[in-house]
Amino acid sequence: MFDRDAWLEIFHTVLSNPLRTGLTGLSIALGIFILVVMQGLGAGLEAGVANTFGDKASNVMEVRTGNAQLAFRGRKPNRRVALHNPDEQAMKEQLDTIPAWSRLVFRWGSTVRYGNQQGSYNVRGVDPDQREIGQVSLTSGRFLSPRDLAQNRKVAVLGAQLVQDLFPKGTKPSDVVGEFIQLRGIQFAVVGTFNQAGSRWENRSVYVPFSTAQKLFQNDDVVGRVTIGTGDAAIEDTREASTGLLFWLKDRLVVHPDDAEGVWVNNENEEAEMFRQIFSGIRLFVWFVGLMTLLAGAMGVANIMAIVVRERTKEIGVRKALGATSHAIVGQIIQEAVFLMLVSGCVGLLAGTWLLHGIAPLVEHDFFSNPRVDFYSALLALGILILVGVASAIGPAVRAVTIRPVEALRDE
Amino acid sequence: MIELHGIRKSYQSGAQTLEVLKGIDCTINKGELVAIMGSSGSGKSTLLNVLGLLDDFDGGSYHLDGNDMGGLGEKQAARYRSEFLGFVFQSFNLIGYKTALENAALPLYYQGVSRKERQKQALHYLTKVGIADWAEHLPNQMSGGQKQRVAIARALIANPRVILADEPTGALDSVTSDEVMGLLKEINREGITIVVVTHENEIAAQCDRIIRLKDGRIENPQAQHHV
Ligand SMILES: Nc1ncnc2c1ncn2[C@@H]1O[C@H](COP(=O)(O)OP(=O)(O)OP(=O)(O)O)[C@@H](O)[C@H]1O
Ligand SMILES: [Mg+2]
């Protein structure tokens, strides 16, 4: 199909009016370029956001307390609301199924020391379920166990940053297990290490048993936060559950029903859903803009092919007189259009990919990481190019078919 | 080879119908060299286009080598054209960006002949019409006579039974015209039927027979001017 003569024809078409071909090619290349770059930036933004907010699973609800703003049942306004151990127990009892449950006490800026090395890190007292809720990826040892909690053991699971900062260079995570560190002046045994790829904040954390932390680092029975896993519950169910839970909590902690600050339940499912919607919106927008630009390019190609057919009416007539079938003529026109589309499209694709790879190392931001050209998007874009190329050639090709050799051959 | 009975052809221009061919009866035998003459607008080109299956006709019958050419589809017409017919035009109609060799080879391209074989054949026919030296030249580097020779080589390459030439010497000076006519006569001697539309008596005089068109009919069909 693509023999030398076919190529010769194509090059003749392309080169017979370089400016026109160039401009049209440019608009197609630009379309693909914009599509690829915006798609890549969108993916980068999505990955960045996912990393930043990805320190916990999205199928959770969080219970937190704050300052109640309104007076209620004899309580003064602007008072601190706290969740105590009995409240937490009662809350757990009134929920029927709980896929995962983790309490949290949080001490940031805690001094952690190993040998002569020390630094300031975040200490989190949590339950064993935190491993699932926080999607903790262990690099050695184990996570906290129920027994650690029950016996208030002084054990710790270290983030990658601590391992790197406090231990000698080249220390493997497994070498750290069994070592002892000083945490706020108290000795803890390291039982495991973890590394959350791409999350600096997470890797500066130390996990210790909730019960130990509550006992050692604070002098009351306040629970800082409770994170409740929702498993694979549907979003509507979690919405209902979080509303019910908030209602119950307000009653229990004596917070006015209209008070927005005293206690709240964050349904991460909804936040995740919101992000999903935002990003699918961005993706849709990217494709829309890209396709519109492509469409403009396709019209350019259709225009070129229409001009080519008009300019070569006589030639097409001669070819028909010499035995060319309409099939052969149409094939040639479509080949030319697709060729033009593909070459320009590939230029745009390569330029876009090159730009993304060029800027990727320069732009490293919490909300933006690793912008890339997704292989399937590129493949899809090329597929669309071929389709659009064929479609843009149909009009001119039909015109070429209707050219009767006699009319083309008439000398005026 | 060619048998026409009552061929009619009219053109519709707006509300008016222009009857160009009003019933043409004629037979052209295998191996004949026939001239078609007639005043301008008498329908010579129209008749040749009908013979060449480049245009359809409204009435009558046309048999080419015994095959009925009535109501052919586009695809069949293309097949008969490439199998039976070769064309030579007044304005040569070579493709400007192709060399003489590629132009001459074009009909074989549409018959699916391999590139190597096409070039071999094209060179053979360019040699035959005497311009093998110009094989790699583009049409705009050649004289009118040379271009017409390329066109004749192109008409010959598919090994046609009939060559249809519409004023093949119309754009050439008299010396070159004689050369081209000589070439056509040579080809005719090898057994290929040739129909030439011409205005020039010197050209027509070199043919076996002259068909004169007048008002869409053949003048004096009984005595078809045997030369
Ligand atoms: N496509 C067409 N539509 C309408 N009329 C046409 C068409 N083609 C030819 N004619 C008319 O038909 C008549 C015959 O035309 P034709 O080209 O056959 O003449 P001709 O004998 O070849 O003339 P010439 O010697 O000038 O080439 C002319 O009057 C011409 O105007
Ligand atoms: Mg004419």
Side-chain angles (χ1 to χ4, degrees):
Chain A
M1 191 180 180
F2 266 91
D3 57 14
R4 239 181 89 179
D5 293 68
W7 283 112
L8 208 72
E9 312 278 341
I10 289 172
F11 287 128
H12 174 72
T13 312
V14 169
L15 298 179
S16 66
N17 195 334
L19 183 68
R20 187 177 64 197
T21 309
L23 287 177
T24 305
L26 195 69
S27 76
I28 293 160
L30 208 64
I32 288 287
F33 178 80
I34 289 173
L35 187 65
V36 163
V37 169
M38 289 193 5
Q39 193 278 134
L41 294 182
L45 190 64
E46 199 170 342
V49 169
N51 272 351
T52 307
F53 294 94
D55 54 348
K56 47 189 166 300
S58 59
N59 59 338
V60 296
M61 299 190 294
E62 276 180 2
V63 175
R64 303 188 203 207
T65 55
N67 290 317
Q69 303 295 301
L70 306 174
F72 188 52
R73 287 192 213 144
R75 310 268 171 114
K76 288 197 198 78
N78 203 12
R79 67 186 184 282
R80 178 88 202 140
V81 176
L83 192 71
H84 295 269
N85 284 348
D87 301 324
E88 186 261 334
Q89 278 305 317
M91 175 165 75
K92 198 169 187 175
E93 276 155 24
Q94 71 91 38
L95 290 171
D96 19 296
T97 50
I98 304 162
W101 182 276
S102 178
R103 296 162 292 174
L104 172 74
V105 294
F106 184 61
R107 287 288 173 272
W108 60 279
S110 298
T111 302
V112 180
R113 201 153 73 82
Y114 175 79
N116 316 328
Q117 299 293 323
Q118 68 173 44
S120 177
Y121 301 95
N122 311 309
V123 174
R124 299 173 176 185
V126 296
D127 281 303
D129 279 359
Q130 179 65 30
R131 181 175 180 186
E132 181 193 329
I133 287 169
Q135 295 179 334
V136 178
S137 58
L138 290 178
T139 45
S140 72
R142 62 172 180 85
F143 199 68
L144 306 171
S145 70
R147 188 174 288 189
D148 293 335
L149 271 286
Q151 300 178 359
N152 299 337
R153 283 178 179 168
K154 295 187 189 104
V155 292
V157 179
L158 300 192
Q161 194 63 46
L162 282 93
V163 176
Q164 192 188 324
D165 292 352
L166 302 178
F167 291 83
K169 260 202 169 55
T171 305
K172 283 181 287 174
S174 54
D175 297 339
V176 176
V177 175
E179 294 294 312
F180 289 90
I181 55 164
Q182 305 288 323
L183 218 167
R184 292 172 84 95
I186 300 166
Q187 182 165 282
F188 277 70
V190 179
V191 294
T193 61
F194 67 93
N195 189 358
Q196 301 303 90
S199 183
R200 241 171 299 164
W201 177 253
E202 281 296 297
N203 287 335
R204 298 187 63 81
S205 300
V206 186
Y207 286 114
V208 298
F210 173 83
S211 52
T212 315
Q214 201 182 43
K215 215 173 101 201
L216 293 179
F217 304 142
Q218 64 187 43
N219 41 28
D220 53 26
D221 67 343
V222 168
V223 179
R225 190 196 297 175
V226 177
T227 310
I228 307 164
T230 54
D232 49 10
I235 180 137
E236 293 78 22
D237 296 342
T238 65
R239 199 174 287 147
E240 203 174 297
S242 71
T243 318
L245 186 58
L246 184 61
F247 187 79
W248 182 87
L249 280 165
K250 281 181 168 172
D251 182 57
R252 165 101 188 177
L253 303 178
V254 197
V255 176
H256 191 284
D258 296 336
D259 198 317
E261 313 260 314
V263 57
W264 66 96
V265 179
N266 269 353
N267 188 353
E268 297 284 339
N269 289 285
E270 287 207 73
E271 265 171 53
E273 177 65 17
M274 191 182 72
F275 275 117
R276 253 197 304 280
Q277 279 175 3
I278 288 175
F279 283 110
S280 69
I282 289 178
R283 240 173 280 144
L284 206 69
F285 174 75
V286 165
W287 277 97
F288 179 75
V289 170
L291 284 181
M292 283 301 129
T293 323
L294 266 188
L295 208 65
M299 284 180 197
V301 171
N303 194 33
I304 283 196
M305 297 320 293
I307 293 172
V308 164
V309 168
R310 202 169 316 133
E311 276 173 355
R312 301 214 317 224
T313 300
K314 196 174 172 87
E315 182 190 318
I316 290 170
V318 173
R319 286 170 184 273
K320 286 188 174 178
L322 298 179
T325 53
S326 292
H327 186 81
I329 304 270
V330 167
Q332 189 189 332
I333 290 168
I334 288 179
Q335 270 179 26
E336 288 181 13
V338 169
F339 174 79
L340 203 61
M341 276 286 186
L342 272 185
V343 168
S344 330
C346 285
V347 167
L349 192 64
L350 287 180
T353 312
W354 175 81
L355 182 76
L356 284 180
H357 281 263
I359 59 168
L362 307 179
V363 194
E364 206 35 76
H365 185 272
D366 279 350
F367 286 122
F368 193 81
S369 89
N370 188 26
R372 74 218 136 70
V373 185
D374 156 24
F375 177 70
Y376 288 103
S377 300
L379 219 59
L380 189 62
L382 286 184
I384 290 175
L385 273 180
I386 293 177
L387 271 183
V388 167
V390 171
S392 69
I394 283 178
V398 165
R399 232 196 77 75
V401 167
T402 59
I403 292 173
R404 311 226 334 267
V406 261
E407 275 156 42
L409 293 178
R410 178 159 297 122
D411 300 309
E412 45 272 4
Chain B
M1 175 58 61
I2 291 172
E3 267 178 84
L4 302 178
H5 288 290
I7 289 288
R8 298 177 162 276
K9 172 83 190 167
S10 55
Y11 289 112
Q12 203 78 34
S13 51
Q16 279 176 317
T17 307
L18 177 66
E19 265 210 284
V20 181
L21 303 179
K22 300 174 182 167
I24 302 283
D25 296 298
C26 98
T27 303
I28 295 170
N29 297 315
K30 193 171 182 325
E32 264 194 305
L33 173 55
V34 177
I36 298 177
M37 293 193 80
S39 58
S40 190
S42 58
K44 305 183 294 294
S45 295
T46 305
L47 178 58
L48 203 73
N49 289 337
V50 167
L51 291 180
L53 304 176
L54 299 175
D55 209 349
D56 47 14
F57 47 94
D58 305 332
S61 72
Y62 169 20
H63 285 85
L64 175 61
D65 202 23
N67 303 300
D68 187 2
M69 296 290 120
L72 288 183
E74 198 221 353
K75 218 169 171 170
Q76 291 162 296
R79 215 193 77 220
Y80 278 117
R81 277 200 296 270
S82 73
E83 235 172 73
F84 280 88
L85 306 170
F87 295 90
V88 179
F89 308 97
Q90 176 175 1
S91 53
F92 323 124
N93 285 337
L94 300 178
I95 292 172
Y97 55 89
K98 287 181 179 287
T99 63
L101 192 76
E102 288 165 337
N103 264 291
L106 199 57
L108 295 184
Y109 176 68
Y110 291 116
Q111 290 181 7
V113 176
S114 77
R115 182 176 172 79
K116 217 170 153 187
E117 180 62 20
R118 291 201 305 263
Q119 293 201 320
K120 202 179 121 198
Q121 292 284 328
L123 197 62
H124 171 77
Y125 282 100
L126 286 181
T127 309
K128 192 165 171 154
V129 298
I131 50 163
D133 292 346
W134 293 80
E136 295 306 325
H137 285 71
L138 293 174
N140 61 12
Q141 299 165 329
M142 292 187 272
S143 72
Q146 288 167 332
K147 283 191 251 193
Q148 200 58 298
R149 284 165 190 266
V150 174
I152 291 171
R154 181 178 68 182
L156 286 172
I157 200 163
N159 210 1
R161 318 276 175 85
V162 179
I163 285 184
L164 302 169
D166 196 350
E167 305 194 35
T169 60
L172 305 176
D173 63 51
S174 57
V175 177
T176 323
S177 293
D178 280 345
E179 286 173 11
V180 166
M181 199 52 207
L183 189 57
L184 288 177
K185 274 162 47 185
E186 211 175 291
I187 292 162
N188 175 246
R189 250 179 269 136
E190 291 174 13
I192 296 176
T193 312
I194 300 185
V195 181
V196 184
V197 167
T198 185
H199 274 120
E200 299 160 71
N201 288 317
E202 306 85 74
I203 300 294
Q206 299 180 49
C207 298
D208 303 336
R209 183 154 65 101
I210 301 172
I211 295 171
R212 287 187 192 277
L213 284 186
K214 192 179 180 190
D215 271 346
R217 290 181 212 281
I218 293 179
E219 232 182 346
N220 192 7
Q222 290 82 6
Q224 277 187 12
H225 299 264
H226 284 270
V227 180

